[in-house]
Amino acid sequence: MTQKLDGKVALVSGSGRGIGRSIALKLALEGARVVVNDLDAAPAEETVAAIRDAGGQAVACIGSVTAPDFAERFVATAVNEYKGIDIIINNAGYTWDSVIQKMTDEQWYAILDCHLTAPFRILRAAQPVIRNLVKAETEAGQRVMRKVVNVSSVAGLFGNAGQTNYSVAKAGITGMTMTLAKEWGRMNVTVNCVAFGLIKTRLTSTTAGEGGTASIEGREIQVGVNPDLMAAMEKGIPLGRGGTPDEAAGAVYLFCQPESDYVSGQTLMCTGGLTGI
Ligand SMILES: NC(=O)c1ccc[n+]([C@@H]2O[C@H](COP(=O)([O-])OP(=O)(O)OC[C@H]3O[C@@H](n4cnc5c(N)ncnc54)[C@H](O)[C@@H]3O)[C@@H](O)[C@H]2O)c1
């Protein structure tokens, strides 16, 4: 039986852990060849190994999405290894919170660079490749649908205290989604966005707790949520719990499969029923 993404080439940023890892595995399970990216080499290689162990194809492109040469390298990896680009998932990210009076310029720009400038550069670098593929396909009388899925957050839709930088970046990516849906429709590319609520990953881990940190781009960034706060957050979710990374990946996959070929420019909330915060 053929799989829905047979022959497709997918790029997934930040796929060494959490939601990105689940997205990479899901796309590979459906037949896509995946370019796995992460800031950290070991988790990226682990995702590649997990895909290969499951009989899929994947290659790693290690490095920060914020590096000036990253976008070209990411796109070149897909073209050199797999001769194309069909699906781009802009997922890499983290949070670096403070109330506005304590938020430094460094904090502001770091989060905008990661969540907004990096997707912009990746999509800009992919455009000439996609344009040339589409030209050849059109000449051959074919229409091949391609997919971009950007990752946003309820913080970008409704705001979240302590996250001026992050909520601005995540609101911005919804604007980028709508604009590129208009620019790239003629190339048969759908561009959509998934805004997550609470998904249980390192970002929201209660075992890391308060004081847990992750080393991100040379900085020790606090990660994790206090268990009491987590319990209160979960109570407010209609489904009564945070989502799993696999459930989050399922929402992204909806926009990658052929059944969504005529859906573009949308932001889907994957929140367990939460419609605001
Ligand atoms: N977990 C949630 O509740 C939640 C909610 C809303 C949105 N999101 C978004 O989902 C995305 C994935 O988050 P997650 O919860 O899976 O977190 P995670 O920490 O489990 O995984 C994120 C991965 O991205 C990588 N990464 C971070 N910065 C990077 C960079 N500059 N370059 C390359 N890789 C980088 C990390 O190393 C990590 O492996 C992020 O964009 C996040 O903002 C998460």
Side-chain angles (χ1 to χ4, degrees):
M1 202 171 81
T2 58
Q3 293 151 297
K4 286 191 178 174
L5 303 183
D6 266 350
K8 300 289 185 188
V9 178
L11 293 82
V12 186
S13 71
S15 46
R17 296 185 185 82
I19 298 168
R21 180 181 186 278
S22 284
I23 295 169
L25 283 159
K26 173 68 180 165
L27 300 183
L29 199 69
E30 295 296 334
R33 292 162 289 167
V34 183
V35 181
V36 170
N37 154 260
D38 207 277
L39 190 58
D40 300 322
E45 296 294 0
E46 190 281 326
T47 302
V48 168
I51 290 173
R52 290 182 183 162
D53 287 350
Q57 290 185 61
V59 65
C61 178
I62 313 290
S64 174
V65 293
T66 65
D69 66 342
F70 176 77
E72 274 71 25
R73 210 157 55 75
F74 201 23
V75 165
T77 304
V79 172
N80 295 339
E81 292 284 333
Y82 300 132
K83 313 284 172 253
I85 296 177
D86 297 285
I87 297 168
I88 301 173
I89 315 292
N90 280 307
N91 164 79
Y94 63 99
T95 51
W96 190 6
D97 300 350
S98 286
V99 286
I100 195 165
Q101 65 273 24
K102 291 187 181 162
M103 188 171 286
T104 63
D105 281 4
E106 186 189 2
Q107 246 173 308
W108 170 262
Y109 285 116
I111 292 300
L112 261 67
D113 278 354
C114 184
H115 291 273
L116 207 46
T117 308
F120 156 69
R121 287 185 181 147
I122 289 166
L123 296 170
R124 182 177 61 181
Q127 197 279 346
V129 175
I130 295 175
R131 184 193 57 212
N132 288 339
L133 290 166
V134 171
K135 192 164 175 278
E137 288 154 6
T138 306
E139 282 166 10
Q142 299 167 342
R143 179 170 62 210
V144 176
M145 297 304 295
R146 292 187 165 78
K147 314 278 188 163
V148 173
V149 185
N150 295 316
V151 169
S152 185
S153 162
V154 287
L157 303 181
F158 308 115
N160 198 22
Q163 294 193 319
T164 308
N165 52 0
Y166 183 71
S167 61
V168 165
K170 288 305 199 188
I173 199 77
T174 64
M176 198 185 303
T177 298
M178 291 186 283
T179 293
L180 271 203
K182 292 184 175 172
E183 287 189 16
W184 285 16
R186 72 188 64 182
M187 295 199 299
N188 304 314
V189 183
T190 68
V191 186
N192 291 293
C193 186
V194 177
F196 293 118
L198 176 62
I199 307 297
K200 293 189 161 181
T201 64
R202 179 182 70 166
L203 209 64
T204 53
S205 158
T206 46
T207 46
E210 272 189 307
T213 62
S215 181
I216 298 174
E217 301 195 292
R219 304 178 181 105
E220 287 303 311
I221 306 281
Q222 190 182 324
V223 293
V225 175
N226 169 288
D228 294 339
L229 179 61
M230 171 65 82
M233 284 159 71
E234 291 196 298
K235 259 193 194 152
I237 297 170
L239 285 179
R241 59 178 178 84
T244 65
D246 285 353
E247 288 172 325
V252 171
Y253 175 66
L254 293 176
F255 288 131
C256 299
Q257 60 178 347
E259 284 84 345
S260 64
D261 277 356
Y262 203 62
V263 181
S264 194
Q266 303 303 306
T267 294
L268 172 73
M269 280 198 273
C270 176
T271 59
L274 204 70
T275 50
I277 52 174

